[in-house]
Amino acid sequence: MRTSRFLTIAVLALLAGCAPGAVATPFHPPASNVGGEVVSTASPSATTTPDCDPRLTYAPLPQAGLLPAADQIGDRTLKAIKQRGYLIVGVSADTRLLGSVVPQKQTFEGFDIDLARAVAQAMFGDPNKIRFVSISAAERESVLEAGSVDLVARAMSMTCGRWHTVAFSAEYLTAYQRLLVHGVAGSTSKATMADMAGKRVCAPAATSSIARLHSYPQVIAVAAESHTACLVLFQENKVDAITGDDTILAGLAAQDDYAVVSQAPSIANEPYGLAFNKHDIELVRYVNAVLQRYASPDSSGTSGWNRSYDRWFRSVIGDRGAPAPIYGRAIPAGS
Amino acid sequence: MKRATRAVVDHPGGQRGTPAPQGASLRGALTELFSGTPGRLRGWGALVAAICLTFGVVGGLTSYNSTSALERARDDTDQVFRSQNIYADLMLADATAGNSFLVAGDERESDRRSYDEALESASRGLASALAAQPADVRPLTEISVAVTEYARRIDYARAENRSGLVVGGEYQRIASTDLRENLPMLVDVREANQTRAQRELAWPGLQAQVLLGATIATVLLLLCCAGWLTHRFNRWFNAGLLTATLLVVLGAAVAVPTLLGLDDELDGYRAGPLADTIALSEARQSAYSARSLESLDLIARDADTSNAGNWTTAYLTAHNALTAVGENPATLEKYEAQHRRIVALDRDGQWSAARDLAVNDTSATFAKLDHQITRRLSQERLASQRAMAPRPILAGLSLGLPALGIAAAVAALIGINHRLREYR
């Protein structure tokens, strides 16, 4: 066939012009992001400022009773929640122990979920008057700014920088940033960041964990969409370790028998707070009152906070108490 | 016939005397051979014989090349269909895997079988496509690797999901996203082969033009020769040249309309069954892509609606493709209504109801839609097979036209030799 074509070309070149040829098909392999994105370690991102305590929040309301009838509520946000009849909370759907969906039941569960239900219980007398909206870590601030959720309960670290865009409740859990490394379940690791020199360490994008990785220029920082996405990279040996809050890492380790949370001294403390639209100060104060009650022993002799902590964390990260709230943040003028 | 009355001046060649060098002697012999009226007659004889033979060769090759082009076009269109089938199979597998993920361990056995069959079909298609076209090896190899990786991740996703581990959802998302990122290479394969096929399909028309040009050149030269003979010998009629001319015209009268007719037929095929098959396959793969994106959104349970735009694009592509080929889009529109309901339920916090609708109702709708599209695709494929079938007449012309060219050359030489004999 080729000979014939060649002959034709030779004989008919002037008459027939160029003959067709099997040109190689264009080859455009995708620039896959599945391997995670290595991020620059050149510009450290400050999460605190010297004269700022990110845990400082607004004083709680004197009490956090059931919301009265809507026409008796002065605050616009609380009134809207009452009129709607349920609370909308942004949570994680894939952070085991804090907030995740149980595939078999298709319900949310975890420490953050218990806390959000406690707020709904206080508002409506029913912990189920709540709608959970799954959000990624990177969306936490944007959904609050857009007003699509009333509050975010998604392992959100209170930082001075974030106080510029959102408002926080009192600290409700202290997490410690650590490393998740390879190891058989039950074994102990003391791996530190120094041991990670030249290795790839994953953390979700737009989190304080990835920002803190910038302080370790010898580490190759890899940003993924979520901690669970980091776990996939870890299981596929595309990263050597995951850094994040021990509360989150414990949830990852619970899904992988060959991953352990390092017991080396923590890299940083992470105070978790519920996050709100920065203008919803009355709602913050209401929730602070709920948190105060949630952390106090009830008629059973123990607090809701302790029951939830015992259920989700005590066996995996040990004893930890409810953090002491720090009140006294000045309410902005006009609020 | 009368001998020419006109004075003819002979120019005997070669000068006698000292022996000439060998090259000069050959040149002298040639000059003698083609000088004077007999020489010119010999020259005309060589020229018309050559042009008649050339006509035969050109005619044979144009017919043969049209047959070959048709074969190559068939190979290329087969590759177009193969690449589209692979794409549709992968989207079917992904849509089924995503839908099954929503019900975790309650996955229907028929869905699992459908996923396995779709993936197996895609793998077989890739193997065939790799063997069929060497020019496609690089992208197809890359896609094969991606499919293997996809299957591995889906198996992980399924296993983790059945164990109630949330990491399963991430495996599902990454598997689907990675697969989608590789699919444009399959579109490249389809487009490259479509371009090749269209170029091949244009060949019969081009060959007809070439043959027409060769015919005109041959006939003109034969007429010039006849004119010269008339002028030289005062004979208006030369049976040999006339026979040669008639043979050439006869061959062209059969071959050129045949090639032009084939060109028309192939034009109709390009605009008809080929375009329709491509559009229908695109509709099928886009519809499955939309369903897969819908499942991903439900799996993510995410406030983020990043897949909403992609879903709309996939749906509109499927809708436009269906309407372009005159297919009723009612079933697809029914799916759109179901999708809107699923999104509304999900946004309203009724995830389980949304999931049930996605798993049960849309499955029935898709079964109907798939039946509609594959039935029409079968019809178009039959039309395609008919259009790409070998043409026996082209095989006949491939042999017949060279034979005619030889016959015309012989006839022309006989006619000229007749004059040469008269002259002597």
Side-chain angles (χ1 to χ4, degrees):
Chain A
M1 194 182 290
R2 280 189 180 173
T3 310
S4 141
R5 185 180 290 184
F6 178 76
L7 281 172
T8 308
I9 294 163
V11 174
L12 305 177
L14 289 175
L15 293 170
C18 297
V23 180
T25 301
F27 178 58
H28 303 123
S32 174
N33 65 357
V34 174
E37 186 189 354
V38 175
V39 294
S40 165
T41 54
S43 54
S45 157
T47 54
T48 58
T49 53
D51 56 348
C52 161
D53 184 345
R55 295 170 300 167
L56 187 67
T57 183
Y58 304 115
L61 292 178
Q63 59 176 10
L66 291 176
L67 290 178
D71 55 1
Q72 293 173 33
I73 301 174
D75 180 69
R76 197 181 51 182
T77 306
L78 285 169
K79 190 173 188 169
I81 294 170
K82 176 66 180 178
Q83 282 174 330
R84 190 194 305 132
Y86 57 87
L87 191 64
I88 303 176
V89 184
V91 296
S92 170
D94 64 357
T95 309
R96 202 162 171 165
L97 308 181
L98 279 165
S100 65
V101 175
V102 188
Q104 290 87 348
K105 298 185 208 158
Q106 291 303 333
T107 54
F108 286 85
E109 64 174 25
F111 188 82
D112 285 344
I113 305 301
D114 288 351
L115 185 55
R117 287 192 189 281
V119 177
Q121 168 75 36
M123 284 180 167
F124 300 104
D126 183 349
N128 295 317
K129 294 234 168 160
I130 193 165
R131 178 181 300 166
F132 294 111
V133 177
S134 165
I135 57 170
S136 68
E139 291 167 329
R140 291 178 296 195
E141 292 172 40
S142 62
V143 292
L144 287 170
E145 280 177 314
S148 50
V149 298
D150 299 317
L151 61 104
V152 163
R154 197 193 189 287
M156 192 161 179
S157 300
M158 303 166 77
T159 66
C160 294
R162 284 177 179 157
W163 268 103
H164 293 301
T165 49
V166 299
F168 284 106
S169 69
E171 180 185 4
Y172 69 86
L173 182 66
T174 308
Y176 298 92
Q177 187 177 345
R178 290 201 159 93
L179 283 168
L180 181 88
V181 293
H182 290 283
V184 180
S187 64
T188 305
S189 168
K190 295 281 186 187
T192 63
M193 274 295 182
D195 299 324
M196 292 296 121
K199 295 186 175 172
R200 295 164 68 95
V201 178
C202 184
T207 60
S208 47
S209 298
I210 191 91
R212 207 165 283 121
L213 269 183
H214 295 309
S215 310
Y216 301 90
Q218 74 278 19
V219 169
I220 302 166
V222 177
E225 194 165 301
S226 64
H227 278 104
T228 313
C230 280
L231 180 60
V232 170
L233 296 178
F234 180 79
Q235 291 180 336
E236 293 187 339
N237 288 320
K238 288 176 179 163
V239 297
D240 302 292
I242 303 170
T243 188
D245 305 343
D246 55 359
T247 48
I248 295 170
L249 298 182
L252 299 183
Q255 299 179 67
D256 189 333
D257 287 342
Y258 296 92
V260 291
V261 180
S262 169
Q263 297 304 309
S266 67
I267 299 157
N269 293 2
E270 295 284 2
Y272 285 175
L274 298 174
F276 303 81
N277 183 293
K278 66 184 290 189
H279 302 296
D280 290 342
I281 293 168
E282 197 70 1
L283 177 59
V284 177
R285 296 184 67 206
Y286 178 91
V287 171
N288 278 344
V290 174
L291 285 175
Q292 214 169 33
R293 196 169 64 195
Y294 187 63
S296 306
D298 54 20
S299 54
S300 66
T302 181
S303 67
W305 190 97
N306 274 320
R307 281 194 294 274
S308 183
Y309 185 85
D310 288 351
R311 181 180 176 196
W312 301 111
F313 289 122
R314 189 175 302 281
S315 63
V316 286
I317 58 174
D319 282 341
R320 219 168 274 180
I326 304 175
Y327 302 125
R329 181 171 287 270
I331 295 173
S335 294
Chain B
M1 286 190 193
K2 272 172 67 178
R3 182 188 165 101
T5 53
R6 204 172 154 177
V8 176
V9 180
D10 282 342
H11 296 282
Q15 288 185 352
R16 297 179 191 281
T18 54
Q22 198 176 356
S25 138
L26 181 64
R27 196 162 51 244
L30 282 173
T31 308
E32 186 178 350
L33 188 64
F34 291 107
S35 64
T37 300
R40 285 179 191 155
L41 276 170
R42 283 187 206 102
W44 272 112
L47 200 59
V48 294
I51 194 79
C52 287
L53 288 174
T54 303
F55 168 81
V57 170
V58 169
L61 283 177
T62 53
S63 305
Y64 180 75
N65 281 338
S66 296
T67 304
S68 302
L70 206 57
E71 282 173 12
R72 289 193 298 272
R74 186 168 59 238
D75 292 344
D76 293 334
T77 50
D78 281 350
Q79 191 78 334
V80 167
F81 301 152
R82 243 180 247 121
S83 62
Q84 288 205 300
N85 282 345
I86 295 165
Y87 197 128
D89 282 336
L90 291 175
M91 281 295 92
L92 169 59
D94 195 46
T96 311
N99 212 249
S100 296
F101 190 93
L102 293 170
V103 291
D106 291 333
E107 176 187 30
R108 284 185 291 242
E109 193 268 335
S110 59
D111 283 344
R112 183 66 191 172
R113 198 170 53 242
S114 170
Y115 166 80
D116 286 340
E117 285 172 358
L119 213 56
E120 188 181 318
S121 174
S123 298
R124 285 182 193 282
L126 277 165
S128 306
L130 272 164
Q133 176 56 277
D136 297 337
V137 163
R138 283 191 78 192
L140 289 174
T141 303
E142 202 65 24
I143 293 162
S144 296
V145 172
V147 169
T148 306
E149 189 71 353
Y150 171 79
R152 184 184 66 78
R153 286 196 173 117
I154 290 293
D155 282 347
Y156 274 3
R158 187 168 174 269
E160 304 281 28
N161 195 31
R162 288 179 72 93
S163 303
L165 300 178
V166 290
V167 71
E170 194 58 26
Y171 271 107
Q172 182 80 30
R173 185 190 71 78
I174 290 177
S176 186
T177 305
D178 191 36
L179 181 68
R180 282 166 195 283
E181 283 173 355
N182 279 283
L183 287 177
M185 285 193 292
L186 216 41
V187 176
D188 287 345
V189 170
R190 194 261 287 166
E191 286 176 350
N193 282 283
Q194 197 177 340
T195 305
R196 287 184 197 117
Q198 284 178 339
R199 214 163 38 196
E200 300 292 357
L201 291 171
W203 260 62
L206 181 68
Q207 300 296 290
Q209 291 170 28
V210 169
L211 183 57
L212 191 61
T215 306
I216 291 168
T218 308
V219 169
L220 279 177
L221 200 72
L222 286 168
L223 289 177
C224 282
C225 183
W228 184 81
L229 287 179
T230 302
H231 180 69
R232 275 285 186 188
F233 297 92
N234 203 20
R235 294 283 194 280
W236 289 97
F237 181 73
N238 184 302
L241 284 178
L242 183 65
T243 305
T245 307
L246 286 176
L247 285 173
V248 168
V249 170
L250 176 70
V254 176
V256 172
T258 300
L259 291 173
L260 287 175
L262 178 60
D263 187 48
D264 272 355
E265 230 179 285
L266 295 179
D267 273 349
Y269 168 66
R270 269 186 293 189
L274 179 60
D276 289 357
T277 304
I278 289 169
L280 285 162
S281 297
E282 195 163 11
R284 188 165 178 251
Q285 66 207 30
S286 297
Y288 278 121
S289 176
R291 193 176 191 217
S292 166
L293 290 166
E294 175 185 278
S295 295
L296 279 183
D297 270 347
L298 285 171
I299 291 166
R301 305 186 65 138
D302 220 321
D304 177 24
T305 52
S306 59
N307 280 327
N310 291 336
W311 185 93
T312 305
T313 304
Y315 169 76
L316 288 177
T317 304
H319 195 276
N320 292 342
L322 274 186
T323 48
V325 297
E327 279 292 313
N328 187 349
T331 310
L332 184 67
E333 286 166 357
K334 183 181 175 187
Y335 165 63
E336 189 212 8
Q338 287 171 335
H339 173 75
R340 301 279 172 221
R341 177 91 182 116
I342 288 165
V343 171
L345 284 168
D346 190 27
R347 282 192 183 148
D348 196 38
Q350 300 181 58
W351 188 90
S352 295
R355 187 265 321 266
D356 292 346
L357 189 56
V359 171
N360 300 319
D361 296 43
T362 65
S363 292
T365 309
F366 262 86
K368 196 175 167 190
L369 180 65
D370 199 60
H371 178 70
Q372 178 191 357
I373 297 177
T374 49
R375 191 185 54 193
R376 174 74 187 276
L377 267 174
S378 302
Q379 293 169 3
E380 299 299 341
R381 295 265 164 83
L382 278 177
S384 183
Q385 282 170 8
R386 280 197 297 272
M388 294 285 103
R391 305 295 199 276
I393 191 168
L394 288 180
L397 287 171
S398 301
L399 297 172
L401 286 175
L404 271 182
I406 292 167
V410 170
L413 283 175
I414 289 171
I416 288 173
N417 272 339
H418 189 70
R419 288 285 177 272
L420 196 58
R421 281 199 305 276
E422 281 179 352
Y423 181 80
R424 282 171 184 158

